């Protein structure tokens, strides 16, 4: 039985717009990471709600969720699911914000920028993309590609950082939920679909909205070949071509995963090839 206050998950309904932003956090057996995320969200800014979708964790997460304040802008469920994107879909159906942001357990907001964005209440476009700060597993500032302001880059790689992106809720009713047949790249599939449909993206390179901790399933070198195959399938589906460069990068990451000290080797390559965010 799902643990949830105030909603019947057997009958999803389109929640009325009550907030500017719904922050959706999915989690599984990572209470410490969830606490880290919570500290960057609490106290919840005006015009926001926080929705936690837990995959039936057995590490004390449910006890933590039960201890959260009983207030209308906090919702949570804890039940088994079919992966990260299934959990994100549940969050979409529970959201009552004009925009939805997905902040997975462990990632954090740059608090002052979150408050400034919510207080300003951008409404000009359907997808608002802000910059982010990458962190390694020790929570030190890491390396990443330069932030792009050209949405055409999506045809070559997933250039949209979902931790720093606000998505108009209506787009999920127009284009449907995340495709859970993709285990690693369903967000790339969704953004590509929205892009070719002509919806507008606005990029805000001067505002860093989140800290992205590079320790999730998408950062695991062993998953690189699976991610490459999903990206290739998505690119062929929407763009009738795929990026050979991107495929080779993921293939190299997968090969590195078999080396002793593979993470150290990969981190060295990141330092050489990518840029440190400040």
């Amino acid at each position: 039985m799902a643990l949830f206050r105030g909603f019947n998950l057997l009958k999803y309904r389109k929640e009325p717009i009550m907030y500017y932003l719904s922050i959706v956090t999915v989690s599984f057996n990572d209470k410490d990471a969830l606490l880290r995320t919570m500290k960057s969200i609490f106290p919840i800014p005006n015009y926001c709600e926080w929705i936690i979708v837990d995959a039936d964790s057995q590490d004390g997460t449910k006890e933590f969720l039960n201890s959260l304040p009983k207030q209308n802008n906090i919702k949570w469920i804890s039940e088994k699911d079919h992966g990260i994107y299934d959990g994100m879909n549940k969050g979409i159906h529970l959201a009552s914000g004009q925009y939805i942001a997905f902040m997975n357990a462990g990632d954090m907001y740059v608090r002052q920028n979150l408050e400034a964005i919510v207080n300003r209440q951008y409404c000009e476009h359907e997808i608002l993309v802000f910059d982010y700060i990458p962190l390694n597993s020790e929570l030190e500032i890491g390396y990443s590609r330069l932030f792009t302001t050209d949405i055409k880059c999506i045809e070559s790689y997933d250039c949209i950082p979902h931790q720093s992106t606000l998505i108009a809720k209506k787009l999920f009713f127009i284009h449907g939920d995340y495709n859970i047949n993709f285990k690693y790249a369903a967000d790339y599939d969704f953004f590509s679909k929205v892009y070719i449909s002509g919806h507008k993206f606005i990029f805000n390179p001067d505002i860093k909205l989140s800290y992205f901790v590079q320790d999730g399933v998408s950062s695991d070198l062993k998953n690189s070949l699976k991610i490459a195959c999903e990206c290739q399938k998505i690119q062929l589906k929407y763009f009738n071509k795929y990026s050979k460069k991107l495929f080779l990068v993921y293939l190299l990451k997968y090969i590195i995963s078999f080396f002793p000290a593979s993470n150290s080797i990969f981190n060295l390559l990141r330092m050489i090839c990518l840029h440190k965010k400040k």
Side-chain angles (χ1 to χ4, degrees):
M1 177 66 67
L3 297 175
F4 184 68
R5 296 190 297 271
F7 288 85
N8 178 1
L9 287 180
L10 298 179
K11 272 189 178 179
Y12 285 138
R13 64 183 186 270
K14 296 181 181 180
E15 291 301 314
I17 298 300
M18 296 178 61
Y19 300 96
Y20 174 71
L21 179 63
S22 297
I23 301 169
V24 175
T25 298
V26 296
S27 66
F28 180 58
N29 284 337
D30 203 347
K31 177 184 173 183
D32 291 341
L34 186 59
L35 285 168
R36 188 166 69 221
T37 300
M38 182 199 73
K39 289 176 181 177
S40 75
I41 295 175
F42 273 32
I44 299 175
N46 294 331
Y47 318 113
C48 286
E49 66 175 350
W50 189 30
I51 300 168
I52 308 98
V53 182
D54 177 61
D56 194 29
S57 294
Q58 303 299 315
D59 67 339
T61 294
K62 282 184 274 191
E63 289 76 9
F64 160 71
L65 293 174
N66 267 313
S67 73
L68 290 173
K70 308 300 191 287
Q71 52 195 56
N72 292 334
N73 61 349
I74 299 175
K75 307 172 187 175
W76 62 266
I77 61 174
S78 184
E79 64 177 11
K80 294 184 184 299
D81 59 31
H82 300 288
I84 293 172
Y85 294 107
D86 186 33
M88 291 166 68
N89 286 339
K90 292 177 182 181
I92 292 167
H93 288 277
L94 297 171
S96 56
Q98 180 179 355
Y99 288 91
I100 301 176
F102 297 95
M103 175 59 66
N104 292 346
D107 297 331
M108 299 167 287
Y109 279 112
V110 179
R111 177 69 192 201
Q112 65 271 25
N113 290 342
L114 172 64
E115 291 185 354
I117 289 166
V118 171
N119 287 333
R120 178 170 175 179
Q121 297 200 12
Y122 294 77
C123 295
E124 299 94 344
H125 294 286
E126 293 156 313
I127 298 187
L128 311 175
V129 187
F130 300 89
D131 203 356
Y132 70 99
I133 301 170
L135 300 178
N136 61 27
S137 57
E138 286 75 39
L139 302 184
E140 300 167 337
I141 295 178
Y143 296 80
S144 69
R145 293 187 183 95
L146 287 174
F147 183 74
T148 183
T149 56
D150 183 3
I151 187 56
K152 190 173 176 59
C153 289
I154 201 171
E155 297 181 16
S156 299
Y157 68 96
D158 183 5
C159 61
I160 308 297
H162 73 78
Q163 295 88 352
S164 285
T165 299
L166 278 57
I167 307 168
K169 181 184 175 182
K170 67 179 183 180
L171 292 180
F172 291 104
F173 295 115
I174 295 172
H175 297 287
D177 294 343
Y178 289 114
N179 183 349
I180 63 173
N181 291 318
F182 292 110
K183 185 176 180 180
Y184 305 98
D187 51 341
Y188 184 32
D189 173 76
F190 178 81
F191 286 131
S192 297
K193 178 166 45 178
V194 170
Y195 163 67
I196 66 165
S197 298
H199 296 284
K200 300 300 182 183
F201 294 69
I202 181 170
F203 290 87
N204 301 276
D206 297 327
I207 302 175
K208 293 179 173 62
L209 177 56
S210 69
Y211 294 94
F212 165 47
V213 183
Q214 299 165 322
D215 64 353
V217 293
S218 63
S219 300
D220 187 338
L221 297 177
K222 292 289 187 184
N223 295 327
S224 297
L225 195 57
K226 296 175 183 177
I227 297 172
C229 290
E230 288 194 0
C231 289
Q232 183 186 72
K233 185 175 182 179
I234 291 165
Q235 290 174 348
L236 289 172
K237 176 181 177 182
Y238 295 110
F239 313 128
N240 298 314
K241 60 181 181 179
Y242 72 92
S243 170
K244 295 181 176 64
K245 179 180 178 181
L246 181 67
F247 190 88
L248 289 173
V249 167
Y250 277 116
L251 179 60
L252 176 61
K253 290 169 65 174
Y254 180 69
I255 293 171
I256 290 173
S257 72
F258 292 96
F259 283 65
S262 58
N263 287 330
S264 296
I265 295 171
F266 179 63
N267 288 336
L268 178 61
L269 291 174
R270 290 183 71 89
M271 290 174 59
I272 295 171
C273 300
L274 300 178
H275 302 268
K276 192 162 190 174
K277 290 290 186 73
K278 297 181 180 179

